[in-house]
Amino acid sequence: MRILVVEDDRRLAELLRRGLVAEGFAVEVAHDGRTGLHLATEDAYDVIVLDVMLPGLNGYHVCARLREAGVWTPVLMLTAKDGEYDEAEGLDTGADDYVTKPFSYVALVARLRALVRRGRPARPALIRVGDLQIDPATRCCRRGTADLQLTAREFAVLEYLARRDGEVVAKAEILAHVWDEAFQGDVNIVEVHVSSLRRKIDAPFGRRSIQTVRGVGYRLAADVPGR
């Protein structure tokens, strides 16, 4: 099995390389993000160990660019950042697993073997609703040929509506899916995000694709002209 280790701490990188070689892996090492990105796009690996805090290009950006380029090699993020938002960002950019330092070497190897057994994940399919195109893998959205700049929450709301294409989706469902069932804030946050989405994906193009079904919720429909 062939592994790429992208880690700027040279001592740790060398320890990882020696340990993984002893486990029977073939290992290549890069010490900065740009070199790691180049190697990962030019050569075939079974799994990539990717640090977050890298010079040149951080691990989040490396992972996102790999996915944008259609490289679906499993990625295990390795970092000293242990906050839940850091982990979420890593997974949202396309990582398959996330390990914080200091870590158990035995557990790390077990996770790598599990990723290799799973194999390369299939690229998530594009979601199309009329000329609206949503890419869950790269978190990108387009209306026709126009790129749309959405926040993470806006994208999540739109993706959920798109996956329920044509169905009426209750506000409570959106809230539970995009935020969570334990959300204690104002439920009108859904209306705020829907209004923002309409300004970005509908109004500039003369559309009304996000429809309000009074007393129930919202429905995403294809190619509904605006008034």
Side-chain angles (χ1 to χ4, degrees), residues 92-142:
D92 283 345
T93 58
D96 300 276
D97 203 352
Y98 191 100
V99 175
T100 56
K101 304 172 185 175
F103 56 87
S104 161
Y105 178 74
V106 173
L108 176 70
V109 172
R111 286 173 179 266
L112 290 174
R113 292 193 187 279
L115 287 176
V116 171
R117 284 196 301 272
R118 270 186 250 162
R120 296 169 184 259
R123 187 186 195 283
L126 295 176
I127 305 171
R128 291 185 173 87
V129 181
D131 67 347
L132 190 65
Q133 179 175 292
I134 301 160
D135 190 340
T138 61
R139 318 298 289 176
C140 293
C141 181
R142 307 181 78 185

Side-chain angles (χ1 to χ4, degrees), residues 20-222:
L20 292 171
V21 167
E23 294 285 341
F25 295 99
V27 183
E28 286 191 56
V29 176
H31 297 297
D32 64 84
R34 296 190 186 282
T35 302
L37 177 63
H38 174 74
L39 290 174
T41 52
E42 293 297 317
D43 297 318
Y45 298 93
D46 293 293
V47 66
I48 299 169
V49 178
L50 180 63
D51 188 30
V52 169
M53 304 303 288
L54 293 167
L57 198 66
N58 72 37
Y60 297 138
H61 290 151
V62 171
C63 191
R65 291 192 186 184
L66 287 175
R67 298 321 189 210
E68 289 169 6
V71 176
W72 298 98
T73 306
V75 171
L76 183 146
M77 287 247 179
L78 185 64
T79 179
K81 302 179 73 173
D82 62 355
E84 61 181 10
Y85 292 106
D86 298 312
E87 181 175 354
E89 184 173 358
L91 297 174
D92 283 345
T93 58
D96 300 276
D97 203 352
Y98 191 100
V99 175
T100 56
K101 304 172 185 175
F103 56 87
S104 161
Y105 178 74
V106 173
L108 176 70
V109 172
R111 286 173 179 266
L112 290 174
R113 292 193 187 279
L115 287 176
V116 171
R117 284 196 301 272
R118 270 186 250 162
R120 296 169 184 259
R123 187 186 195 283
L126 295 176
I127 305 171
R128 291 185 173 87
V129 181
D131 67 347
L132 190 65
Q133 179 175 292
I134 301 160
D135 190 340
T138 61
R139 318 298 289 176
C140 293
C141 181
R142 307 181 78 185
R143 169 75 81 180
T145 59
D147 291 322
L148 307 176
Q149 302 300 315
L150 306 180
T151 67
R153 292 288 193 196
E154 289 167 354
F155 186 93
V157 171
L158 180 62
E159 181 186 356
Y160 189 58
L161 290 174
R163 290 189 184 278
R164 303 280 297 275
D165 182 18
E167 298 179 26
V168 178
V169 183
K171 292 180 186 178
E173 287 185 68
I174 298 172
L175 193 65
H177 181 84
V178 176
W179 284 266
D180 61 51
E181 294 180 352
F183 179 72
Q184 296 296 315
D186 189 343
V187 295
N188 288 330
I189 192 70
V190 176
E191 295 179 20
V192 171
H193 281 74
V194 167
S195 295
S196 181
L197 277 170
R198 284 172 169 156
R199 289 194 296 272
K200 292 180 178 182
I201 73 169
D202 281 347
F205 307 95
R207 306 293 178 83
R208 284 192 306 118
S209 62
I210 302 181
Q211 303 171 347
T212 299
V213 179
R214 295 195 179 280
V216 183
Y218 301 98
R219 173 172 52 214
L220 184 66

